[in-house]
Amino acid sequence: MELEDQWWKGQLAADIHQALKNKELKLPPYKGQSPQLNLRRYFADLISIISNSFWLCPTSRHLAVYLLDLFMDHYDVTVQQLHMVSLSCLLLASKFEDREDRVPKLETLNSLRCMSSLNLVLTKQGLLHMELLLLETFNWNLYLPTAAHFIDYYLSIAVLDGDLHDGWPMANLEKTKLYMAKYADYFLEVSLQDHVFLCFAPSLVAAACVAASRLILHLSPSWPPRLQRLTGFAWENLMPCVEKLLIAHDSDVKEANKQKCQQQQQQQQGQTVFHSSGQPATVTQYLQLPSSMHCPQKAPQAGLAAGHRSASYLGHPASGLQGPPQHGDAQPVATSLDPKPAVATRAYPVSSHYSYPAACFDR
C-alpha cells in the first residue's frame, strides 16, 4: 500500500500501524456465499504459485486472494472466468503493492507451464476489461489491509532476550528469530488457504500467527505483555484463531509423517518402520495452560511441516497443479459477469463495512 520498505523499523511505525488498524475497521463484510466456494482453495493456490514464480511480495499475494474472495462473494463466476479473475486480481495487487519491475507481463504469464497445462490463454484486451471491472467493483480503492501487512511489525518484537525456551534462557537468539519468522510465514500461508480466517480481523490473524509460532517454539510466556500492548489483543482474543492455526499445523505434520511412513514402507518392502514418537503435540496440549505458563512438554517436529498445503512451501513446479474441470482447447477468457442473487449459505462477517460508496455490493 505504497509503504516504504521495512516501515516497521522507522519512526512512523506506530502511526502506520494505527492507520492500518483504522482502515481494517472499514473493510467490506465477507459472507462466504459464493456458489464456487469449493474452488476457492484451488484458485488461492494458483495465485500463490504464480506470485512465487515472479517473486512477488507476500502483501501482493494476500491482497490478490482477498480481492478474489470479495469478488467471488458478490458474483456468479464460471470456472473459466475464475481463472481470468484470479490472475487479474494478482496483477492489480502486484501493481499496488510490489515493485514495477516485478509486475507480471502478459507474455511471461502465457509462457508459464501452469498456463499451458490449464489450456489457458490470456489476451491483453481480456485482462484490461477484467481489471477495469475489478476496479469498478471496489470503487477504485485497493487500500485493503491483510494479515501480511501487519506481520512484520509484530515480528519486530516477537522474540527478545528475556524470553525463555522450555523454561531456560535462549542459547541462540538470532536462530530463534529465524525460526520465528519461518513459522510465522507458515501460519500466514495457512490462514490464506481457508476462508474461515476472514471472520477475524487481519491484525488479529497476524497476531495469532505470532502467538502460534511462540507456542510451537516453546517460548514463554507465550503471549508476553509487550506483544499484547503492541497488537492490542489479549490472549483470550487470539485463542479461537490460534486454535484453528494449530489444528492445521497438526494436520500437516500428521500428513507429512504419513507420507514419510509410506516411503519407508516402500523402501523396506512393506515392513513397518513408523514410530508414534514422531507425532506432534495435540492442540489441546498447546492450549490447556494459561498464556503466562504456556510451555508444551512435548515438541512437534522442529522443521516446517513438509506436508503443508501452501504452494509457497510445497516447492513443486507450477505444472504440478491439478485444476478443476478441463476447459478444452486454448481460448481467450470471457470477461462478462452478472451479479448474482444472495445465496443462503453460512456467513463469515467482518465486524465492519465500507466507508465509501460501493453500489456494486448493494443488494
Side-chain angles (χ1 to χ4, degrees), residues 17-82:
H17 174 251
Q18 188 58 52
L20 291 171
K21 293 271 283 189
N22 292 339
K23 185 60 181 178
E24 77 174 356
L25 295 175
K26 303 173 184 178
L27 288 174
Y30 177 76
K31 300 180 181 180
Q33 62 181 10
S34 171
Q36 291 83 17
L37 197 58
N38 63 315
L39 298 177
R40 187 259 185 200
R41 165 68 180 281
Y42 161 77
F43 285 101
D45 281 350
L46 178 63
I47 287 175
S48 293
I49 288 174
I50 295 180
S51 68
N52 290 334
S53 299
F54 291 93
W55 298 91
L56 299 180
C57 64
T59 53
S60 292
R61 179 167 64 255
H62 282 254
L63 178 58
V65 175
Y66 188 48
L67 294 176
L68 175 65
D69 283 329
L70 293 178
F71 194 83
M72 288 178 62
D73 208 35
H74 294 86
Y75 285 91
D76 235 334
V77 192
T78 67
V79 175
Q80 181 78 349
Q81 292 168 334
L82 275 175

Side-chain angles (χ1 to χ4, degrees), residues 46-343:
L46 178 63
I47 287 175
S48 293
I49 288 174
I50 295 180
S51 68
N52 290 334
S53 299
F54 291 93
W55 298 91
L56 299 180
C57 64
T59 53
S60 292
R61 179 167 64 255
H62 282 254
L63 178 58
V65 175
Y66 188 48
L67 294 176
L68 175 65
D69 283 329
L70 293 178
F71 194 83
M72 288 178 62
D73 208 35
H74 294 86
Y75 285 91
D76 235 334
V77 192
T78 67
V79 175
Q80 181 78 349
Q81 292 168 334
L82 275 175
H83 283 93
M84 173 67 84
V85 173
S86 301
L87 295 174
S88 297
C89 287
L90 181 60
L91 286 174
L92 279 181
S94 63
K95 291 174 182 178
F96 190 70
E97 294 286 350
D98 231 308
R99 299 198 324 242
E100 182 177 357
D101 59 330
R102 287 187 177 178
V103 176
K105 301 298 188 294
L106 176 61
E107 297 77 10
T108 312
L109 276 173
N110 281 328
S111 66
L112 292 177
R113 293 173 61 187
C114 67
M115 300 294 286
S116 59
S117 67
L118 295 171
N119 292 321
L120 183 64
V121 175
L122 302 175
T123 65
K124 183 177 181 180
Q125 183 179 12
L127 282 175
L128 289 176
H129 286 172
M130 183 58 70
E131 286 187 358
L132 182 60
L133 176 59
L134 286 167
L135 288 170
E136 291 175 347
T137 297
F138 300 112
N139 201 31
W140 295 78
N141 186 355
L142 300 184
Y143 182 18
L144 304 171
T146 68
H149 291 95
F150 292 92
I151 194 70
D152 288 311
Y153 185 57
Y154 298 162
L155 282 175
S156 64
I157 62 167
V159 180
L160 294 181
D161 275 320
D163 294 334
L164 301 178
H165 175 252
D166 279 333
W168 295 88
M170 286 180 291
N172 191 322
L173 177 61
E174 294 305 316
K175 186 175 182 179
T176 304
K177 287 183 177 180
L178 179 62
Y179 272 99
M180 169 60 68
K182 287 182 179 294
Y183 266 111
D185 286 344
Y186 162 82
F187 283 118
L188 200 61
E189 297 308 304
V190 168
S191 72
L192 192 64
Q193 295 170 8
D194 195 333
H195 67 278
V196 71
F197 288 98
L198 290 172
C199 69
F200 303 108
S203 59
L204 188 147
V205 174
C209 289
V210 173
S213 300
R214 289 183 62 87
L215 287 175
I216 294 295
L217 293 174
H218 296 187
L219 298 178
S220 60
S222 40
W223 194 241
R226 67 175 187 275
L227 280 170
Q228 180 171 333
R229 290 192 298 269
L230 186 73
T231 65
F233 296 111
W235 175 254
E236 292 73 20
N237 305 132
L238 302 178
M239 280 281 288
C241 188
V242 170
E243 184 175 9
K244 295 180 185 301
L245 293 172
L246 292 176
I247 289 173
H249 171 268
D250 283 0
S251 176
D252 286 347
V253 175
K254 289 176 181 178
E255 180 63 26
N257 284 337
K258 180 180 178 181
Q259 294 178 2
K260 182 179 179 181
C261 175
Q262 293 173 348
Q263 293 174 355
Q264 290 175 336
Q265 287 177 337
Q266 293 175 355
Q267 293 173 357
Q268 297 297 326
Q269 298 179 348
Q271 296 181 2
T272 303
V273 295
F274 181 69
H275 301 288
S276 61
S277 59
Q279 293 298 325
T282 64
V283 174
T284 304
Q285 288 175 298
Y286 287 128
L287 300 179
Q288 63 186 354
L289 300 175
S291 62
S292 61
M293 298 173 61
H294 257 293
C295 187
Q297 297 301 311
K298 186 176 181 181
Q301 292 182 348
L304 291 177
H308 180 241
R309 297 177 295 272
S310 170
S312 62
Y313 285 92
L314 287 174
H316 54 68
S319 59
L321 182 67
Q322 300 299 317
Q326 297 296 318
H327 312 302
D329 296 333
Q331 53 185 321
V333 182
T335 59
S336 59
L337 300 172
D338 298 321
K340 65 171 174 54
V343 181

